[in-house]
Amino acid sequence: MAESFWLIPLIPALSALGLALFGTKISRKWISTQACLAVLFSFVLSLAAFIHLLRTPSGSPPLTKVLLPWISSGSFSAPLAFSFDALAAVMCLVVTGVGLLIHIYSIGYMADDRSYARYFAQLNLFTFFMLVLVLASNIVLMFVGWEGVGLCSYLLIGFWFERPTAAKAGMKAFVVNRVGDAGFILGILFLVLAVGSPDFARINASAAGGALGPGLVTLVAILLFVGAVGKSAQIPLYVWLPDAMEGPTPVSALIHAATMVTAGVYMVVRLNGLYSASPVAGSVVAVGGAVTAVFAATMALVQTDIKKVLAYSTISQIGYMFIGCGVGAYAAGMFHLATHAFFKSLLFLAAGSVIHALSGEQDVRRMGGLRKYLPRTFPVFLAGALAISGIPLLSGFFSKDAILTSAFANGHYAVWGLGLAGVVLTAFYMFRLVFLIFYGEERLSPEARHHIHESPRVMTTPLIVLAALSVFAGYIGLPAVVGHKADLFGRFLEPVARAAAEPVSAAIEWNLILLSTVAAVGGLFIAYLFYIRQPAVPGRLAARLPRLYKLLVGKYYVDEFYDAVIVRPAVRGSKLVYGHFDLKIIDGALDGSATAADAAGRGFSRLQTGLIKDYALAFFLGVIFFIGFVLLLKT
Amino acid sequence: MIPGQAFFILAIILFVLGVVAFFVKRDLLTQFMAVEVMLNAGNLAFLALAKASGRAEAQVIVFFVLTVAAAEAVVGMAIVLHVFRRKKTVRTEDASELKG
């Protein structure tokens, strides 16, 4: 069964094709059943391949399947080939596992939507492309998946395209990602030129072996990181992700929290040989991640849209993953990717459940006191919030701690400090959300109050599974102080991503753990003070620091800045080019050639008199001319 | 004994007569007959050639021409008939719909 791992991406693709072709002809029940079954099959196959991988001794080559030769030119060849190693196993399990739960949740969430088949077809298509991305054995095929998930992201953000904001948000996501992809494509080109092969194993081997010059390695690594910055919504290309919340909430959970946005992290880990070979690029990744982690967290502090808070939180958490990758702790970065996939999709889905309960209300200022109305949503949301905040013994604590410890151990003290500050902010904004939604006085609109109801079982069951994962997933990657063998996750990834972290003494590590615990609990406590004990404090603080408050609410005016510096000049330039070049030169040339053809036709049509005699005369003269010509040639 | 050139001269005269008749006359039927005259002038020239060279190939070609002329007559007459049915006239000036 493990040998048929190459079917993992193909099953959702087939299902998507079926839904796209026949979606309007089959019943809603069948549509959702088919979509969920396809992902379930992929999950089962992933599990089988994973178990196979656990049983094979480490060091043996990964399962590889060449489906077709694809691009082949001279010595360069990029086949359609999948390979299943430890890294791909983690990603496959996350994508199909979390994906399955979100598919099931969608049955309830999208129950009343008109475009049921389109939704599930696109969700399955996304699963296919994401699995191609993680299973590809060369960077060119990975790029196909990379662009494919971008396409599905665009389609699903603009799923409710009747809303102009949704259509615009989809477009924004697509265009911003183009900027990153330009860097990514350049990186691929340089890499293929230098290595001569797009194969990941070859790339990592030649980078680690020093076959590429240090300058080239840094250039390629940074160009590829530009692509990752676009896809994973880091500074300065993060602006599309908050807008992407226009899509349906399960989409936000699957694509814009758990899987697609973490593709950049996956890419860096996949090419860890390259990033390890360039300390400069590593520092860029780590510092970029750390700055993003804090920057995005500050914007999450004052947002009032429940999904926007979670979006900024996602940007911030991906920053943590990049810290891990940048300091060489690839396994820690992947670990945080996996735990984040659990607790962030949990938070999104629980937020979706709240929104569902309140008939579409997303503004936390019109929530409050929902604890007693949503008895199943509240505890799972709380579990997710505790996990992401890094409260000890929950999954987020272990993964975030692994990253921060590695950053500290490798001497990136500034990065570590920023990460620690981010922990305080994370705990604060998450519990601000919890307290505003579930505690305090009710600020519901009368209409939402009238319709309030707990979500159906089909929505809450996936939440409970995800909550269990969020709470317990941390125990597969315990910190080194508990014993080296305790980090099962890191040891599993060892064949793919060597742990580069230098060990620190147990005393230092305990202190680091203590510090991050204090940070997390501190953030939680401040939120408690602000929103439970002294609800007037936030308002007074905002009044006391009006400039800072406005800056945060205005999201640092980055969107306005881009609009003024890039978008509007581009639009103005396009209009200019359109007016002068398109309309005058291109259209002019086209119209000119048409006019010329028309005039020529009119002129020559005079020769057609319709009189047989004229034709006969022309024929006769032609024959005489021809005979004369032949005679002339003869003499 | 008639000299061989005489046949050629007759053929040329017949051909020129056909050409002139084709351009001078205005109704399809007469023009059609002019074409037949031209064809037969050609045939005569072939026969004269066959006699002068003493070879049989030219005579074979004459049979070809006769066959083609028969087919042409069928098609041509059918066209004339149709033109007449439509227009109640066979004057070529009246059938000039293909004017550009």
Side-chain angles (χ1 to χ4, degrees), chain A residues 140-230:
Chain A
V140 181
L141 184 58
M142 181 197 195
F143 187 66
V144 173
W146 184 276
E147 289 301 301
V149 289
L151 169 72
C152 295
S153 159
Y154 162 76
L155 289 172
L156 284 163
I157 294 169
F159 183 75
W160 289 311
F161 54 79
E162 305 91 342
R163 289 206 310 238
T165 47
K168 259 194 177 160
M171 208 138 52
K172 185 173 178 183
F174 207 76
V175 171
V176 172
N177 267 297
R178 296 274 72 65
V179 179
D181 288 346
F184 197 67
I185 292 174
L186 280 178
I188 294 177
L189 290 179
F190 275 118
L191 202 54
V192 169
L193 272 180
V195 180
S197 163
D199 195 72
F200 286 125
R202 293 264 307 271
I203 292 169
N204 278 328
S206 29
L212 315 175
L216 187 64
V217 168
T218 304
L219 175 73
V220 169
I222 289 182
L223 281 173
L224 292 176
F225 181 59
V226 170
V229 162

Side-chain angles (χ1 to χ4, degrees), chain A residues 131-417:
Chain A
L131 290 167
V132 168
L133 195 163
V134 301
L135 283 170
S137 76
N138 62 65
I139 195 163
V140 181
L141 184 58
M142 181 197 195
F143 187 66
V144 173
W146 184 276
E147 289 301 301
V149 289
L151 169 72
C152 295
S153 159
Y154 162 76
L155 289 172
L156 284 163
I157 294 169
F159 183 75
W160 289 311
F161 54 79
E162 305 91 342
R163 289 206 310 238
T165 47
K168 259 194 177 160
M171 208 138 52
K172 185 173 178 183
F174 207 76
V175 171
V176 172
N177 267 297
R178 296 274 72 65
V179 179
D181 288 346
F184 197 67
I185 292 174
L186 280 178
I188 294 177
L189 290 179
F190 275 118
L191 202 54
V192 169
L193 272 180
V195 180
S197 163
D199 195 72
F200 286 125
R202 293 264 307 271
I203 292 169
N204 278 328
S206 29
L212 315 175
L216 187 64
V217 168
T218 304
L219 175 73
V220 169
I222 289 182
L223 281 173
L224 292 176
F225 181 59
V226 170
V229 162
K231 185 113 307 191
S232 297
Q234 299 290 290
I235 292 174
L237 298 178
Y238 67 88
V239 288
W240 65 271
L241 189 60
D243 288 26
M245 297 301 124
E246 287 287 340
T249 304
V251 169
S252 307
L254 178 62
I255 303 184
H256 306 119
T259 54
M260 184 193 82
V261 285
T262 56
V265 179
Y266 165 77
M267 188 272 294
V268 173
V269 178
R270 176 55 82 196
L271 292 171
N272 63 75
L274 190 75
Y275 283 88
S276 296
S278 169
V280 180
S283 300
V284 169
V285 172
V287 172
V291 173
T292 307
V294 175
F295 183 72
T298 57
M299 285 186 281
L301 295 178
V302 294
Q303 292 297 313
T304 51
D305 183 318
I306 178 172
K307 285 181 75 182
K308 287 263 165 80
V309 175
L310 294 176
Y312 283 111
S313 160
T314 303
I315 298 172
S316 166
Q317 294 303 311
I318 297 169
Y320 279 102
M321 300 173 205
F322 277 121
I323 295 177
C325 297
V327 301
Y330 301 105
M334 281 306 292
F335 188 31
H336 196 54
L337 188 159
T339 56
H340 175 257
F342 299 144
F343 56 66
K344 188 49 70 60
S345 52
L346 166 64
L347 286 167
F348 264 115
L349 295 183
S353 175
V354 171
I355 295 167
H356 199 70
L358 299 182
S359 323
E361 182 62 72
Q362 299 197 9
D363 194 329
V364 288
R365 286 171 300 190
R366 286 195 289 277
M367 296 181 184
L370 294 180
R371 207 167 12 146
K372 55 180 177 289
Y373 297 112
L374 305 174
R376 289 194 296 249
T377 307
F378 169 64
V380 294
F381 194 96
L382 188 65
L386 286 167
I388 190 176
S389 303
I391 301 300
L393 306 181
L394 281 89
S395 63
F397 166 75
F398 291 113
S399 56
K400 210 178 287 185
D401 189 62
I403 289 172
L404 291 179
T405 305
S406 306
F408 189 85
N410 290 5
H412 289 83
Y413 300 118
V415 168
W416 171 79

Side-chain angles (χ1 to χ4, degrees), chain A residues 81-104:
Chain A
F82 294 140
S83 74
F84 193 93
D85 57 4
L87 183 55
V90 172
M91 288 302 285
C92 274
L93 287 175
V94 168
V95 171
T96 55
V98 175
L100 176 64
L101 293 170
I102 292 172
H103 272 74
I104 295 171

Side-chain angles (χ1 to χ4, degrees), chain A residues 405-454:
Chain A
T405 305
S406 306
F408 189 85
N410 290 5
H412 289 83
Y413 300 118
V415 168
W416 171 79
L418 283 172
L420 202 63
V423 172
V424 182
L425 295 173
T426 307
F428 177 78
Y429 68 65
M430 275 323 299
F431 277 89
R432 167 177 175 265
L433 214 51
V434 170
F435 294 144
L436 281 177
I437 296 173
F438 294 105
Y439 289 84
E441 53 183 319
E442 290 173 24
R443 300 177 299 275
L444 305 170
S445 66
E447 196 189 336
R449 213 204 137 97
H450 181 67
H451 291 292
I452 192 162
H453 61 281
E454 176 62 293

